[in-house]
Amino acid sequence: MKKDFLWWRDGIIYQIYPRSFADSNNDGIGDLPGITSKLDYLQDLGIDAIWLSPIYPSPDVDFGYDVADYTDIDPKFGTMRDFERLVKEAKKRDIHIILDLVLNHTSDQHPWFIESRKSKDNPYHDWYLWRDPKPDGSEPNNWTSVFGGSGWEFDPDLGQYYYHMFYPAQPDVNWRNPAVRQEMLDVFRFWLKKGVDGFRLDVFNEYFKDADFRDNPPAIGIRRFDWQKHIYDTSQPEMYPLLKEIRSILDKHKDAYAVGETFLANPEQTASYCRGGDKLHAAFNFDFANCRWHPERFMKALNQWYGSLDENSWPNNFLSNHDMKRAATRYCLGEEDQRAKVAAAMLLTIKGTPFIYYGEEIAQRDIHIRRKADVLDPVGKTFWPIHKGRDGCRAPMQWNGEVNAGFSQTAPWLPVNADYPRRNVARQISDPDSVLNFFKKIISIRKSEPALQNGEFKALESQESFIMAFERSLEKDRLLVVLNFSSRELSFDLPVGEWASLINPGQRLSGTMAVHPYQVAILKFNT
Ligand code: NOJ
Ligand code: CA
């Protein structure tokens, strides 16, 4: 039984893709002063922390996930002073800052890589994964890149290949080199000193590769990348002691936090990086986000996730991020928002820290990219038209019905969704039935009920497969959540006793409850 409020466990984390949140200087790209100007909005929404996708200097081959300097701010986002001001202003509002650390690879424009490729005896050469060709000149082994093609890029001047799991412009660093390890750990220390409260670790289980660079064994799959089992290029055992070392650095700062993004890992492997309380605080479970619209699917994914964690670890849950179609795009029918509300209620009341992706609170939809020529994300450029890339979920935040949705006075780097005159923050604030006001309501219920934050979780059976029902309990408090995932009226047998509705104060229920189409009920046991 846990009671005291701990921000990363009991609070709500809000992911911002900085390019797309708010543009303060009207160059079409969101920036740090833009984010600072929206802190009151975020405080009012009720979030406790912001995860910022990368803000470091970057040539933007992968829009910030190719870092050219780990300890500075890209001028397009502002200055270090702007960042310090953001941290200070956020703290005033009890909002914590989580930075995205992309430490598996750097940009090929990072000074380390520029040095590294100068010569084989350059002190930085061994900071990356350089290998000689095979005697016939071919690649050192069969490893492929998840962004398409071989994982090896040949440098004719050096006569060697370097390895990249992502784009050739994102060379993987050599985490087995102690100097690299030291330098990367110092990056954590640098930002902690600046007042950052936590980190999101990009594809952290990719840091180490097999020391002998063995070939991956074959597998059956659709993409070339899936034609092999990725046992030697990912999830190596060396990651566990490294995570412990990272944790010991974090533990020197009060309540500092790390959440990891696993790559190609199932929930069990993902959980293994959190169990024991001496490694990560949390890691992302993609199975839950990938569920189709059915309560049994979500419940199965949750049970597997909860079951993989131990008493020293705490779950976290998300439905959207900058790499996948938004939940509202996937689940909602047309412009209807009922499913977005059910999804929000589920995310905010199940056990685990909820992550909200910017715009999710207004059920923002993806933009449609119609022509290959319009694609900016290199994933889309490479795989068009099978995969149109990730631009769709990265479009500007829709603030109001004015020009460019109030995001910028200039044409934004990605188009604003054409539905913005109807779907925007300003309009939803004044509509009592909006998704935004629904989010606020559920968040305020969550804030006033510790059982919804860190209580126990118990799934309840229902005759109706489209009902999700569960209890959250903490000490004497018992909360019951009933969600109707369908457009039909269903019924649910309440557990014995009288239950008070927290959504419709004053309403008391017992026995069999009629659950209206897409209804969300949050009930509290009357003692
Ligand atoms: C995962 C990030 O979420 C994604 O956006 C990026 O392209 C890859 N890692 C490579 O850094
Ligand atoms: Ca700007």
Side-chain angles (χ1 to χ4, degrees):
M1 296 287 176
K2 304 152 182 164
K3 258 235 143 130
D4 299 332
F5 186 85
L6 180 55
W7 70 270
W8 58 260
R9 183 191 63 204
D10 308 322
I12 296 167
I13 300 177
Y14 185 93
Q15 182 190 355
I16 290 181
Y17 196 68
R19 291 182 77 87
S20 299
F21 198 58
D23 177 16
S24 71
N25 61 349
N26 295 311
D27 62 355
I29 298 176
D31 45 54
L32 297 178
I35 297 170
T36 307
S37 74
K38 300 295 184 186
L39 286 173
D40 287 339
Y41 164 78
L42 294 172
Q43 185 183 26
D44 191 45
L45 178 61
I47 60 117
D48 300 277
I50 299 172
W51 149 25
L52 295 172
S53 279
I55 50 172
Y56 321 101
S58 165
D60 285 333
V61 169
D62 193 15
F63 295 109
Y65 286 89
D66 47 324
V67 177
D69 183 348
Y70 288 110
T71 54
D72 207 349
I73 303 293
D74 194 298
K76 67 179 166 284
F77 293 131
T79 61
M80 191 58 91
R81 278 186 149 224
D82 292 328
F83 178 73
E84 287 160 358
R85 195 169 151 255
L86 169 61
V87 172
K88 198 168 138 213
E89 290 298 318
K91 277 211 185 340
K92 275 190 203 161
R93 295 164 178 83
D94 285 330
I95 294 177
H96 298 77
I97 300 287
I98 298 172
L99 287 190
D100 207 321
L101 288 185
V102 190
L103 308 181
N104 172 67
H105 45 269
T106 68
S107 158
D108 63 354
Q109 300 306 307
H110 194 295
W112 303 340
F113 190 70
I114 293 173
E115 285 299 310
S116 171
R117 72 190 314 171
K118 279 186 181 161
S119 70
K120 289 182 195 166
D121 51 18
N122 187 289
Y124 287 92
H125 187 66
D126 185 47
W127 282 43
Y128 293 84
L129 301 170
W130 291 100
R131 308 293 288 174
D132 288 332
K134 283 189 179 153
D136 66 357
S138 65
E139 290 138 14
N141 67 18
N142 71 352
W143 296 356
T144 46
S145 158
V146 68
F147 283 169
S150 165
W152 294 99
E153 186 76 5
F154 189 62
D155 184 307
D157 295 335
L158 276 185
Q160 282 191 313
Y161 286 91
Y162 68 86
Y163 175 72
H164 57 91
M165 171 52 89
F166 299 92
Y167 298 114
Q170 294 168 294
D172 285 38
V173 300
N174 179 12
W175 268 91
R176 293 178 189 277
N177 180 327
V180 171
R181 188 174 176 124
Q182 206 44 52
E183 193 76 28
M184 292 305 202
L185 294 178
D186 281 347
V187 173
F188 287 86
R189 297 186 182 101
F190 176 88
W191 291 108
L192 284 166
K193 251 199 215 152
K194 290 245 171 245
V196 161
D197 301 290
F199 303 97
R200 177 261 187 192
L201 305 185
D202 190 73
V203 296
F204 73 88
N205 61 321
E206 182 54 32
Y207 292 0
F208 291 96
K209 285 82 181 165
D210 178 50
D212 299 325
F213 290 86
R214 279 171 282 185
D215 278 343
N216 280 326
I220 294 171
I222 297 171
R223 299 177 299 175
R224 173 171 170 199
F225 187 72
D226 303 322
W227 296 350
Q228 47 187 252
K229 287 190 193 134
H230 292 276
I231 58 170
Y232 292 126
D233 55 351
T234 189
S235 297
Q236 300 300 297
E238 288 84 349
M239 199 58 218
Y240 295 99
L242 174 61
L243 286 179
K244 288 188 185 174
E245 199 174 347
I246 292 174
R247 179 63 175 256
S248 69
I249 293 171
L250 297 176
D251 283 349
K252 294 202 174 78
H253 295 253
K254 189 173 179 312
D255 297 338
Y257 169 72
V259 53
E261 182 207 29
T262 41
F263 180 65
L264 302 180
N266 60 33
E268 167 56 30
Q269 280 169 312
T270 303
S272 74
Y273 297 110
C274 306
R275 286 194 295 255
D278 57 353
K279 296 179 279 300
L280 292 173
H281 299 81
F284 294 114
N285 167 28
F286 284 84
D287 279 15
F288 179 70
N290 287 328
C291 285
R292 69 174 174 83
W293 187 253
H294 199 292
E296 285 168 0
R297 295 295 175 115
F298 287 113
M299 199 51 99
K300 190 170 165 213
L302 280 182
N303 283 332
Q304 194 182 1
W305 184 219
Y306 296 159
S308 305
L309 294 163
D310 65 1
E311 67 285 357
N312 295 308
S313 43
W314 186 250
N316 56 318
N317 302 298
F318 72 100
L319 291 170
S320 295
N321 70 23
H322 63 292
D323 289 330
M324 62 197 296
K325 276 204 173 93
R326 287 172 174 274
T329 309
R330 301 197 311 270
Y331 298 135
C332 292
L333 307 169
E335 283 291 317
E336 193 41 83
D337 286 341
Q338 287 166 310
R339 289 185 173 188
K341 290 180 182 170
V342 175
M346 170 173 70
L347 184 67
L348 292 164
T349 58
I350 51 178
K351 181 176 169 182
T353 316
F355 279 69
I356 300 175
Y357 183 52
Y358 82 98
E360 191 168 346
E361 72 275 27
I362 57 166
Q364 195 165 308
R365 312 291 208 263
D366 285 38
I367 53 167
H368 299 291
I369 307 289
R370 294 204 162 77
R371 296 179 311 158
K372 187 176 178 190
D374 296 335
V375 176
L376 296 185
D377 175 19
V379 170
K381 288 183 182 164
T382 310
F383 293 108
W384 184 276
I386 296 164
H387 185 345
K388 295 183 177 166
R390 301 165 293 179
D391 296 332
C393 64
R394 299 173 175 180
M397 177 79 176
Q398 295 165 212
W399 292 106
N400 56 44
E402 290 157 35
V403 65
N404 300 319
F407 166 76
S408 174
Q409 298 294 322
T410 321
W413 74 287
L414 275 177
V416 178
N417 193 318
D419 71 0
Y420 83 85
R422 275 170 289 128
R423 182 178 298 286
N424 62 64
V425 169
R427 195 164 160 160
Q428 292 203 12
I429 284 178
S430 56
D431 171 3
D433 287 332
S434 67
V435 191
L436 180 56
N437 281 319
F438 183 83
F439 259 87
K440 282 194 193 170
K441 178 149 201 170
I442 306 293
I443 290 174
S444 76
I445 293 175
R446 181 186 156 94
K447 282 214 183 300
S448 55
E449 295 293 343
L452 289 179
Q453 298 163 20
N454 55 46
E456 299 300 322
F457 177 94
K458 188 173 102 189
L460 299 184
E461 291 293 319
S462 161
Q463 255 57 318
E464 303 280 5
S465 69
F466 273 91
I467 293 254
M468 178 187 273
F470 53 88
E471 262 189 59
R472 301 291 312 275
S473 55
L474 185 68
E475 295 169 1
K476 285 199 194 95
D477 291 343
R478 277 175 73 194
L479 275 286
L480 171 61
V481 179
V482 183
L483 307 173
N484 185 346
F485 276 64
S486 83
S487 57
R488 284 177 299 125
E489 171 127 348
L490 302 171
S491 62
F492 178 71
D493 293 333
L494 292 166
V496 178
E498 192 185 52
W499 296 86
S501 169
L502 298 183
I503 294 194
N504 297 314
Q507 189 188 22
R508 303 209 180 299
L509 296 160
S510 57
T512 299
M513 170 190 174
V515 197
H516 308 307
Y518 295 118
Q519 186 182 342
V520 167
I522 304 180
L523 310 172
K524 188 167 184 177
F525 191 68
N526 262 351
T527 43

